[in-house]
């Protein structure tokens, strides 16, 4: 089953939004298969945000990600990467559509409450970056037949 990485950022931890964000993921029908709080450091952030290393806000962004621990989550589902990105909304939360996590919970393009992997390839690398193998759990869902149709289940 496709996996993706979510980080609940320090601004969401400070604002008491951990439960709200986790509840949205669960209500959607995505399955949480890894969940922990962790303190990020410069080493992991240099890797995680390598694509932004030349940007003016790189240091500010990294500092903002170390202010408190983050909540890291591995979630699974059919097309989980694309589905979670749609739920998260645009990077600049002021432009993120109402109904999305950023659109409903943030006013900022930087303090935008959540990270989610942006491609299947990056998701695989990011889950490995934040979780060791024994921190990802595999368990049977008792209600898959009520979450997906028959043709969809055949693809899983
Ligand atoms: P994403 O989080 O929507 O995938 P990325 O372009 O990968 O967006 O940027 C990673 C993070 O860097 C964003 O979530 C945001 O916190 C921060 N960021 C992106 N662009 C800007 C900017 O122009 N100013 C300040 N922070 C930014
Ligand atoms: Mg990104």
């Amino acid at each position: 089953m496709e996996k993706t990485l979510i980080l609940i950022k320090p601004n969401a931890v400070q604002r008491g939004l951990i439960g709200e964000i986790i509840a949205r993921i669960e209500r959607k029908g995505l399955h949480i298969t890894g969940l922990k709080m962790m303190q990020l450091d410069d080493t992991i952030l240099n890797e995680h945000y390598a694509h932004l290393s030349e940007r003016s806000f790189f240091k500010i962004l990294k500092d903002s990600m170390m202010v408190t621990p983050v909540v890291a989550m591995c979630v699974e589902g059919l097309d989980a990467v694309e589905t979670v990105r749609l739920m998260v909304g645009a990077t600049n939360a002021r432009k993120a559509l109402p109904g999305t996590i950023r659109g409903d919970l943030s006013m900022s393009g930087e303090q935008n409450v959540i990270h989610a992997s942006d491609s299947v390839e990056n998701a695989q690398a990011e889950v490995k970056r934040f979780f060791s193998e024994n921190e990802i759990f595999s368990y049977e869902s008792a209600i898959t037949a009520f979450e997906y149709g028959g043709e969809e289940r055949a693809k899983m």
Side-chain angles (χ1 to χ4, degrees), residues 115-129:
H115 164 84
S117 309
D118 65 2
S119 68
V120 173
E121 196 188 1
N122 284 342
Q124 283 168 357
E126 291 182 359
V127 168
K128 278 205 186 115
R129 181 174 303 139

Side-chain angles (χ1 to χ4, degrees), residues 3-121:
K3 292 180 172 61
T4 192
L5 178 89
I6 290 174
L7 299 176
I8 300 178
K9 294 182 175 185
N11 55 85
V13 173
Q14 284 285 351
R15 291 175 54 207
L17 296 173
I18 297 171
E20 163 84 29
I21 292 170
I22 293 176
R24 285 177 178 231
I25 299 296
E26 281 194 301
R27 278 208 306 268
K28 177 70 172 167
L30 289 152
H31 294 175
I32 298 171
T33 54
L35 179 64
K36 64 178 175 180
M37 192 168 244
M38 63 192 288
Q39 177 63 47
L40 304 186
D41 61 19
D42 217 45
T43 307
I44 197 165
L45 286 166
N46 281 336
E47 241 187 69
H48 184 63
Y49 284 134
H51 62 294
L52 298 171
S53 64
E54 303 301 317
R55 302 295 293 274
S56 58
F57 56 84
F58 185 52
K59 186 169 184 312
I60 293 172
L61 170 63
K62 286 193 297 174
D63 287 346
S64 78
M65 291 294 288
M66 295 188 274
V67 169
T68 70
V70 300
V71 175
M73 260 196 284
C74 176
V75 310
E76 287 189 10
L78 190 62
D79 303 327
V81 173
E82 187 187 3
T83 303
V84 170
R85 285 290 289 195
L86 285 170
M87 288 178 74
V88 164
T91 304
N92 180 348
R94 290 190 301 285
K95 303 220 164 108
L97 291 177
T100 63
I101 292 170
R102 286 170 172 165
D104 288 350
L105 302 178
S106 172
M107 278 294 286
S108 173
E110 181 202 288
Q111 304 282 310
N112 55 8
V113 300
I114 185 167
H115 164 84
S117 309
D118 65 2
S119 68
V120 173
E121 196 188 1

